[in-house]
Amino acid sequence: MSRSAFATLLLIGLVVLGGCRPSLGTVPPSATGAIPPTPAPTVAGPSPAPATPTPTATVPPTAVPSPTPTATPTPTPTATPTPTRPPLPSRPAVPVNREGKLALGVHTGGVPYDQFASVAAFERMIGHRVEYVLWFHSWGGSDREFPTEAVALAHRAGWIPVLTWEPWERNFVNPTAPQPAYSLSSIAAGQHDEYIRSWARAARAAGGPIVLRFAHEQSTEPGVRSWYPWQGDPEGYRAAFRRIVALFREEGATNVQFLWSAMWLNGWADQYYPGDDVVDWVGTTVLNHGTAATADWARWRSFHELFDGQYQAALQWGKPIMLTEVATAEQGGDKAEWIRECFRLLKEQYPLVRAVLLLEVTSDREWPVINWSVASSPESLAAFLEAIRDPYVR
């Protein structure tokens, strides 16, 4: 799982995408082009919760991409040295979802500091188990250490943690300000190796499966940072991602799958793709803000409109896809029908999508009138319960 001027992202093609993005924790400004920013999840990590929670990002793009830059200054991408280590050998991705069905996951506002009580309550409400639980950690916050206790608790409950790992000290007042201490170039150059290895060793010790989502929504136009300091540097991002994977493998953390979670897969994302040999999952977010957002791009967008172009672009990688934050507002259209279309199309047209993680937040950080929860109305909840009764949803 907000604030100043929305970043304008150039989008490839004609698809109008909306920002499924709340990653609840981090809130990026919106883009005015066909590529909106994805929100970041709320606070994540082991107790105690970080002093500054990560806001939820929420911004869909407009129908026509706009080349106009945002108010945020356009930084020059950091020069990232080429890693000295040899290329990583190819390896098959860890088998996922062998049955070819759709797994459910969730991000709630309280996870993991409520000891996952909100996840258990969600399962009771829908009468269905979820497989994945997503939350956030920042490299420079009070939640920087590996969440050993929270991961163990999730594993005991039968959930796979999806850990969004953000290389920064949270700063939502000036979110695009460079942070040299956590820059992609410093990661690629080995300055954070011991910290990365500490996570790898702790993850290996945890034993159960873990999905690691490093520096999500990085794929803005090269040279442009819209709401995170790690955006706009494709070369630096690829080098940092590959170094992290190499260190985890050296430490024997074979239980960790790596989720490359970009924004607008049919935009500049392909420039940020770190390689088939280091990516287990491809991720993106799908959020429909409807007319609730007070922005010029605000309008109702169907699931197909938001996701189809991204899916077609993702076919080039052939990886299983995880929709890391999926939700719709009520304002501007029929939320129940949006939910029905979402699950119908995932089954009929988008077979690479193997997991959908719901953004179960009742009030958006930037536009509090938006209730992202599937239970925002009796009609939307009924549509969701009907959708997950399909045997395709495991």
Side-chain angles (χ1 to χ4, degrees), residues 1 38 52 98 124-125 137 169 176 185 191 294 302 364:
M1 53 289 347
T38 305
T52 308
R98 295 178 180 83
R124 289 193 298 272
M125 178 181 73
H137 288 269
E169 182 176 354
T176 62
S185 59
Q191 295 176 25
T294 54
S302 69
D364 183 76

Side-chain angles (χ1 to χ4, degrees), residues 148-229:
T148 297
E149 182 181 341
V151 166
L153 188 57
H155 283 159
R156 286 198 296 272
W159 302 313
I160 297 174
V162 180
L163 305 180
T164 301
W165 208 18
E166 303 175 323
W168 71 332
E169 182 176 354
R170 292 188 184 93
N171 176 8
F172 296 114
V173 175
N174 188 8
T176 62
Q179 296 193 15
Y182 305 105
S183 67
L184 295 172
S185 59
S186 69
I187 296 169
Q191 295 176 25
H192 297 274
D193 281 6
E194 187 48 43
Y195 172 61
I196 295 166
R197 287 184 185 279
S198 72
W199 265 62
R201 289 190 290 265
R204 180 192 63 206
I210 294 167
V211 177
L212 191 62
R213 182 189 185 211
F214 169 70
H216 61 304
E217 299 164 23
Q218 75 292 138
S219 55
T220 55
E221 178 184 4
V224 174
R225 291 197 298 264
S226 297
W227 60 88
Y228 287 130

Side-chain angles (χ1 to χ4, degrees), residues 131-157:
E131 186 163 344
Y132 297 96
V133 178
L134 178 146
W135 72 88
F136 292 71
H137 288 269
S138 70
W139 289 36
S142 60
D143 56 342
R144 66 175 267 109
E145 301 304 330
F146 184 85
T148 297
E149 182 181 341
V151 166
L153 188 57
H155 283 159
R156 286 198 296 272

Side-chain angles (χ1 to χ4, degrees), residues 288 300 328-336 370-371 373 375-377 380:
N288 171 40
W300 187 265
T328 178
E330 292 271 3
Q331 297 88 341
D334 185 337
K335 180 167 182 171
I370 298 179
N371 183 341
S373 172
S376 60
S377 68
S380 65

Side-chain angles (χ1 to χ4, degrees), residues 233-296:
D233 181 6
E235 181 183 357
Y237 181 82
R238 295 193 308 268
F241 192 105
R242 293 185 65 82
R243 187 173 195 97
I244 287 170
V245 175
L247 294 174
F248 269 70
R249 290 182 183 172
E250 287 178 10
E251 293 294 341
T254 57
N255 56 317
V256 176
Q257 294 179 329
F258 294 92
L259 166 60
W260 172 66
S261 187
M263 186 198 69
W264 303 115
L265 298 176
N266 52 338
W268 296 281
D270 59 343
Q271 299 184 40
Y272 291 81
Y273 186 67
D276 289 343
D277 58 329
V278 293
V279 172
D280 296 308
W281 289 87
V282 164
T284 189
T285 58
V286 183
L287 294 180
N288 171 40
H289 295 74
T291 57
T294 54
D296 56 7

Side-chain angles (χ1 to χ4, degrees), residues 299-358:
R299 67 177 179 82
W300 187 265
R301 291 172 172 82
S302 69
F303 179 80
H304 179 272
E305 182 180 7
L306 291 170
F307 181 61
D308 186 70
Q310 298 198 72
Y311 184 81
Q312 302 310 322
L315 292 176
Q316 65 184 300
W317 301 302
K319 296 288 185 176
I321 296 171
M322 179 179 290
L323 301 184
T324 52
E325 298 156 40
V326 176
T328 178
E330 292 271 3
Q331 297 88 341
D334 185 337
K335 180 167 182 171
E337 179 53 34
W338 195 97
I339 292 171
R340 282 190 287 266
E341 180 197 51
C342 169
F343 282 87
R344 181 174 68 252
L345 293 182
L346 289 176
K347 178 180 180 180
E348 296 174 358
Q349 296 186 26
Y350 306 131
L352 284 180
V353 178
R354 287 288 176 254
V356 55
L357 278 56
L358 303 165

